[in-house]
Amino acid sequence: MDDLPALLRRTTRITFFFLSIGCIGLAVWPDYKPIFGGFMIGVIGGLLSSYHLAWKATRIGNQAAAGIKSRGFGFISRAAIGVAAAIVSVRVMDFNLPATAAGILALPLVTLLLGLFAIRRLQNGQSTDERGEK
């Protein structure tokens, strides 16, 4: 759990990378606006879902340490964020639904890969926040 802030920082940086790729795609290929726009809305929804999951995991960890039994919505609240992103994308902005779904799923996949790399780094004895100076 000590690695969660570093993981969220990396996830946010990757989100900005995806959003910049989407903006470049909109500028270069304006005919594909529904696809790039839907992907960007999905990435934003995925980022919100990731932050909500991190908040929920921290909250549950603190409650478990205090000996308090926690009850919550769990997956339903994160699914509602994804559905809200899809509704805004398709109904309000007229973007592509599969591109929005790909954007929503891209960030959890990236977070999973970053977590696996962090576990591998910890097994090798390297800190994830280390910048290389000693």
Side-chain angles (χ1 to χ4, degrees):
M1 202 55 79
D2 297 332
D3 222 17
L4 191 59
L7 186 63
L8 282 176
R9 279 193 304 272
R10 286 189 183 135
T11 303
T12 304
R13 288 178 188 151
I14 290 173
T15 300
F16 288 139
F17 172 74
F18 282 149
L19 290 175
S20 63
I21 293 295
C23 289
I24 290 171
L26 282 173
V28 174
W29 298 291
D31 295 338
Y32 294 108
K33 180 181 177 181
I35 294 171
F36 286 115
F39 183 74
M40 289 177 13
I41 295 289
V43 166
I44 292 169
L47 180 66
L48 291 175
S49 180
S50 294
Y51 271 109
H52 179 72
L53 180 62
W55 170 76
K56 193 78 163 167
T58 303
R59 185 172 152 236
I60 289 173
N62 290 339
Q63 287 178 346
I68 301 170
K69 185 172 181 173
S70 65
R71 296 289 303 166
F73 290 111
F75 174 74
I76 294 173
S77 55
R78 290 188 311 277
I81 292 171
V83 168
I87 289 173
V88 166
S89 177
V90 173
R91 301 267 181 174
V92 177
M93 311 281 286
D94 292 328
F95 289 148
N96 192 350
L97 182 62
T100 305
I104 290 171
L105 294 176
L107 221 52
L109 181 65
V110 167
T111 306
L112 173 69
L113 292 174
L114 287 175
L116 292 175
F117 289 141
I119 289 171
R120 189 173 184 189
R121 254 188 248 123
L122 284 176
Q123 289 174 347
N124 292 337
Q126 297 174 354
S127 171
T128 56
D129 264 349
E130 187 176 322
R131 291 182 6 204
E133 48 216 33
K134 299 225 179 205

